[in-house]
Amino acid sequence: MSRKMLLVALITFCAALLSMCPGCSDAITVEYAVSSAKPGPLDTYRWMPTPADKTRDPRLTSDFDEVIRQAVDKELAEKGYTLTTSPDASFQVADHVVINEAVETQVIDDYLDYSEDSRVQFYIGDEAPATKTVKRKYEEGSLILDFSIPGKACCLYWRGTASTEIRPNQPQAKRDERLRKAVKLILQKFPSKK
């Protein structure tokens, strides 16, 4: 393989890696947990009441909860479930938001050397220069949706979690869109009404 082809392959590979890095994209990571509990037929749901003493993170906008609830209600309606305020609902839904500091670490290999004579030097094997490690701190937000069976102590039936980098400088409409996308991704694997 010629040096030029190796260089093109390396640049293409690096571009693909950069497109996948959390700081460069709107990547949302989703996780699920399903209980071994066997609930009865599920058809209606209600939202768990928010505790009166719940302190709100000042970084969350005033309509944050409303955007989450509307998105969840829409997705559950599409799966055949009905929202109710009755305490006799088949299951109940609670949402939690956690914001933490995260660190992204990237190791950059210096295989390209742009020397003063304007030639690109390509290194392979033992002669390659050292690597650089770059760390970036950012805020990561996690949305957790819990589905539990009322009347049974600690009977968490299903949990979905989505995590992504928080972008406080984005317009509110874009942040709301990302939040709705996270809810949709979480509920993709929630079972439809039978």
Side-chain angles (χ1 to χ4, degrees):
M1 185 183 283
S2 72
R3 286 182 150 206
K4 189 174 185 178
M5 288 178 68
L6 282 172
L7 179 60
V8 170
L10 179 64
I11 291 171
T12 304
F13 177 72
C14 290
L17 280 178
L18 284 174
S19 71
M20 294 185 286
C21 78
C24 305
S25 68
D26 276 345
I28 298 175
T29 304
V30 180
E31 297 176 5
Y32 306 96
V34 180
S35 167
S36 60
K38 302 289 183 213
L42 302 176
D43 56 356
T44 60
Y45 71 97
R46 67 183 171 110
W47 282 94
M48 291 185 68
T50 305
D53 62 345
K54 181 179 178 182
T55 55
R56 182 173 186 78
D57 190 306
R59 294 170 286 191
L60 303 178
T61 60
S62 59
D63 65 339
F64 191 80
D65 290 329
E66 190 60 32
V67 172
I68 292 171
R69 289 185 180 215
Q70 286 177 359
V72 169
D73 290 344
K74 177 183 179 290
E75 295 299 320
L76 289 179
E78 288 177 6
K79 289 183 174 284
Y81 298 105
T82 306
L83 174 64
T84 183
T85 55
S86 169
D88 298 327
S90 306
F91 63 96
Q92 52 195 10
V93 182
D95 63 308
H96 316 280
V97 177
V98 179
I99 299 176
N100 290 316
E101 184 177 272
V103 178
E104 173 189 28
T105 304
Q106 291 182 333
V107 178
I108 302 169
D109 296 320
D110 288 336
Y111 291 119
L112 294 177
D113 175 25
Y114 296 96
S115 56
E116 290 181 16
D117 65 0
S118 72
R119 291 182 317 132
V120 175
Q121 180 66 44
F122 186 68
Y123 294 100
I124 298 176
D126 295 336
E127 60 186 51
T131 60
K132 288 188 270 187
T133 301
V134 179
K135 292 186 178 188
R136 179 180 72 92
K137 290 183 181 180
Y138 63 96
E139 287 186 326
E140 181 179 70
S142 295
L143 170 62
I144 303 163
L145 295 177
D146 284 342
F147 296 79
S148 59
I149 308 304
K152 296 185 178 184
C154 298
C155 187
L156 180 64
Y157 167 62
W158 195 89
R159 169 177 276 179
T161 305
S163 300
T164 190
E165 180 178 350
I166 294 176
R167 307 253 170 87
N169 296 329
Q170 276 188 335
Q172 186 64 46
K174 178 69 175 170
R175 287 186 287 180
D176 290 350
E177 177 187 323
R178 289 179 76 211
L179 193 54
R180 285 189 283 275
K181 179 180 177 184
V183 168
K184 186 173 190 71
L185 289 171
I186 290 172
L187 293 178
Q188 274 182 342
K189 292 197 177 179
F190 188 77
S192 296
K193 180 180 169 185
K194 294 179 181 177

